[in-house]
Amino acid sequence: MTKLNKICVFCGSSAGNDTTITNDALQLARIFVEEEITLVYGAAKIGVMGIIAEEMLKYHGKVIGVIPQFLKKKEVVHLGLTELMTTENMHERKLIMQEISDGFMVLPGGFGTLEECFEIITWLQLGLHSKPIGLLNTNGFYDHLLKLLETMVKRGFLKMENYELLQVDTTTEGLLRKMEAFKAPQIPKWLKPERT
């Protein structure tokens, strides 16, 4: 088992309308505090993002926010974090999140959450990092997405070993344990970061 000291969480800037999602976000925050895991996230004070950050701060957990300058100006930024990092743009934000985190967890969200999830798993597939990526399938939220990924495998657009890079669970505790047990596969020698 690998100890994950900092986990980057990708999730919605909206709170949605399913209280199960909110409850899972709160539980995740408490588990992070109990296990002394630092939260790395998009620095917002709104939505599921804000819920997790607030709960962690309430129990004296460490929270690092990473936000591009243009979003900071829109007054969505949480100013009470342990550490706040400001970037020039969205791409730099994701690079920093990847560099400072030991793993990634995807909770329910919208386009931005999916974009972050698929970019970080593509980087893993390409061997640009070897960190675990977990998908929290709260209340069946990601059932259809997982079905789509299975279809991609069946139709020959996604290799099964790449599909299996994504750790999936319906509970925060179960997902964290799967992420700790994750071992990145060996990548082909011809695939090097400078070639991507």
Side-chain angles (χ1 to χ4, degrees), residues 27-47:
Q27 184 189 29
L28 179 136
R30 291 180 205 123
I31 288 172
F32 276 22
V33 171
E34 284 167 20
E35 302 198 16
E36 297 182 345
I37 296 168
T38 298
L39 169 68
V40 176
Y41 87 119
K45 63 182 177 184
I46 56 175

Side-chain angles (χ1 to χ4, degrees), residues 1-24:
M1 292 287 217
T2 303
K3 169 66 174 152
L4 304 172
N5 296 307
K6 291 179 185 171
I7 295 180
C8 179
V9 175
F10 299 133
C11 58
S13 58
S14 168
N17 56 18
D18 183 344
T19 54
T20 312
I21 292 170
T22 306
N23 291 336
D24 273 3

Side-chain angles (χ1 to χ4, degrees), residues 141-157:
F141 185 87
Y142 282 120
D143 283 354
H144 294 292
L145 177 65
L146 294 168
K147 205 76 183 156
L148 173 62
L149 296 180
E150 288 168 16
T151 299
M152 291 164 76
V153 172
K154 286 176 191 165
R155 302 281 178 93
F157 287 97

Side-chain angles (χ1 to χ4, degrees), residues 71-138:
L71 280 179
K72 200 173 179 183
K73 291 175 182 171
K74 292 184 186 252
E75 298 181 353
V76 298
V77 67
H78 194 306
L79 297 174
L81 306 177
T82 311
E83 184 178 349
L84 181 64
M85 303 171 77
T86 305
T87 65
E88 291 296 315
N89 52 50
M90 295 288 279
H91 187 66
E92 187 187 353
R93 176 201 220 178
K94 284 180 286 187
L95 279 173
I96 288 172
M97 287 173 147
Q98 190 276 129
E99 286 168 3
I100 67 174
S101 302
D102 301 315
F104 308 88
M105 202 176 271
V106 183
L107 274 63
F111 283 157
T113 303
L114 289 179
E115 184 269 334
E116 290 164 330
C117 171
F118 284 115
E119 181 155 14
I120 207 68
I121 201 165
T122 301
W123 291 0
L124 174 58
Q125 178 183 304
L126 293 172
L128 299 176
H129 72 83
S130 57
K131 301 167 184 180
I133 301 164
L135 184 79
L136 184 62
N137 191 19
T138 297

Side-chain angles (χ1 to χ4, degrees), residues 125 149 152-154 156-165 188 190:
Q125 178 183 304
L149 296 180
M152 291 164 76
V153 172
K154 286 176 191 165
F157 287 97
L158 179 64
K159 291 180 181 174
M160 180 54 82
E161 58 262 34
N162 291 331
Y163 170 77
E164 290 172 347
L165 292 174
W190 52 265

